[in-house]
């Protein structure tokens, strides 16, 4: 999968792309990240990409021309969606990550300053928000999207099951995890995890996921993701709103 990132601060991405899972995915040609400097498309002699807003107001606004030309240059004759990292979009979640992972190539536009000229939306397909908080720019949001989506690309993780068990993938929070030692300061690993009984381990993990979701994020409990056994167990532990 190819991520084309349009930004005025391409150097911000160097750290995340040179470490851990993303680095290995790039080396194995499972993903590719093209960093495109929007300034390269500015027609201003000083390579400006922002200006004061018409009508007055605080801060600067990213100009339409550099954004428009940068997007069209990357797209050329290829058809790919353009996602703008901005505050007015729908909140990014695992469902959106799965949806994006099905594309072969996308464009991620990083906003900055007080936003973008409204006319730039003419070449944008969708706006994505990280949540109800303010960020300086869209770079960190784009990094989050790249990281989240890349984990869903076949071969990026050692086993596809790795992401299938993670929080939010199946509509529930992930079950607790343990590793060595078996006993740390009197805190022991649950015996079932040491039993070797894979059916009982799977049952325990599912029940713990249900408990955690009920206690921490009950808003995630959706009947379409629950089995009859799940519902029976939730009823046993006191949840009746199903």
């Amino acid at each position: 999968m190819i991520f084309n990132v349009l930004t005025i601060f391409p150097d911000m991405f160097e750290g995340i792309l040179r470490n851990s899972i993303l680095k290995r995915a790039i080396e194995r040609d499972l993903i590719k990240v093209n960093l495109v400097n929007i300034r390269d498309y500015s027609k201003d002699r000083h390579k400006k990409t922002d200006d004061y807003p018409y009508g007055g107001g605080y801060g600067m606004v990213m100009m339409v021309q550099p954004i428009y030309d940068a997007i069209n240059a990357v797209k050329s004759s290829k058809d790919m969606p353009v996602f703008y990292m901005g505050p007015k979009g729908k909140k990014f979640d695992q469902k959106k990550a799965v949806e994006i992972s099905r594309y072969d190539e996308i464009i991620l536009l990083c906003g900055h300053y007080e936003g973008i000229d409204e006319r730039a939306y003419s070449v944008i397909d969708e706006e994505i928000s990280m949540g109800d908080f303010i960020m300086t720019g869209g770079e960190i949001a784009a990094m989050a999207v790249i990281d989240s989506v890349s984990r869903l690309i076949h071969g990026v993780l050692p086993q596809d099951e790795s992401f299938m068990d993670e929080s939010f993938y199946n509509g529930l929070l992930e079950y607790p995890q343990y590793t060595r030692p078996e006993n740390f300061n009197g805190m022991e690993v649950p015996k079932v995890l040491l039993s070797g009984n894979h059916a009982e381990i799977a049952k325990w993990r599912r029940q713990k996921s249900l408990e955690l979701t009920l206690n921490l994020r009950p808003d995630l409990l959706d009947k379409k993701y629950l089995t009859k056994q799940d519902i029976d167990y939730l009823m046993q532990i006191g949840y009746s709103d199903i």
Side-chain angles (χ1 to χ4, degrees):
M1 182 174 183
I2 301 174
F3 300 89
N4 297 289
V5 183
L6 276 57
T7 172
I8 58 174
F9 297 111
D11 292 345
M12 289 182 65
F13 291 83
E14 292 302 316
I16 189 175
L17 299 180
R18 291 184 179 179
N19 291 280
S20 189
I21 291 173
L22 291 185
K23 177 185 178 183
R24 294 194 294 271
I26 291 171
E27 290 174 345
R28 296 171 58 197
D29 291 326
L30 298 173
I31 67 169
K32 183 177 182 180
V33 181
N34 295 324
L35 298 174
V36 179
N37 194 331
I38 299 173
R39 296 184 193 277
D40 292 340
Y41 294 89
S42 173
K43 294 182 179 179
D44 179 84
R45 62 176 180 161
H46 301 296
K47 296 300 180 182
K48 283 182 57 179
T49 58
D50 64 297
D51 209 335
Y52 294 103
Y54 282 120
Y58 174 79
M60 308 289 279
V61 175
M62 291 188 72
M63 302 160 65
V64 60
Q65 177 271 313
I67 293 174
Y68 188 93
D69 287 352
I71 289 175
N72 283 326
V74 173
K75 292 186 77 168
S76 185
S77 59
K78 294 180 287 185
D79 183 26
M80 69 186 79
V82 179
F83 298 100
Y84 167 49
M85 304 294 103
K88 294 184 288 187
K90 292 183 178 179
K91 290 183 183 179
F92 183 73
D93 57 16
Q94 189 67 20
K95 181 179 179 182
K96 176 55 68 173
V98 172
E99 178 185 320
I100 293 175
S101 71
R102 298 189 178 116
Y103 290 104
D104 294 325
E105 187 169 2
I106 66 170
I107 291 175
L108 298 174
L109 171 64
C110 302
H112 219 75
Y113 308 116
E114 294 304 304
I116 61 175
D117 187 305
E118 188 69 17
R119 292 165 292 186
Y121 282 99
S122 65
V123 286
I124 293 170
D125 295 293
E126 186 174 348
E127 185 169 355
I128 294 176
S129 169
M130 286 292 113
D132 297 334
F133 55 90
I134 300 172
M135 303 176 72
T136 303
E139 283 74 19
I140 295 176
M143 292 178 199
V145 170
I146 293 170
D147 186 88
S148 178
V149 172
S150 294
R151 297 173 66 85
L152 301 172
I153 304 301
H154 179 68
V156 170
L157 295 182
Q159 297 177 334
D160 287 344
E161 289 82 0
S162 297
F163 68 75
M164 291 180 182
D165 283 337
E166 290 178 338
S167 292
F168 307 115
Y169 185 82
N170 60 4
L172 300 174
L173 298 183
E174 187 180 11
Y175 49 79
Q177 298 275 20
Y178 297 87
T179 186
R180 293 178 177 83
E182 291 181 19
N183 186 314
F184 179 74
N185 290 346
M187 295 178 284
E188 296 185 347
V189 175
K191 297 300 183 184
V192 65
L193 299 180
L194 308 175
S195 69
N197 187 325
H198 297 296
E200 286 300 311
I201 291 172
K203 178 181 177 182
W204 179 89
R205 286 175 168 172
R206 184 68 180 185
Q207 290 179 347
K208 288 300 178 182
S209 287
L210 290 166
E211 288 179 26
L212 283 171
T213 306
L214 175 60
N215 293 329
L216 301 177
R217 290 292 304 277
D219 57 296
L220 294 176
L221 289 174
D222 189 327
K223 193 171 182 178
K224 68 182 178 183
Y225 294 112
L226 302 177
T227 65
K228 182 181 183 302
Q229 289 76 17
D230 292 338
I231 295 173
D232 289 344
Y233 182 71
L234 286 169
M235 298 287 282
Q236 289 176 26
I237 61 177
Y239 186 66
S240 58
D241 189 20
I242 298 181

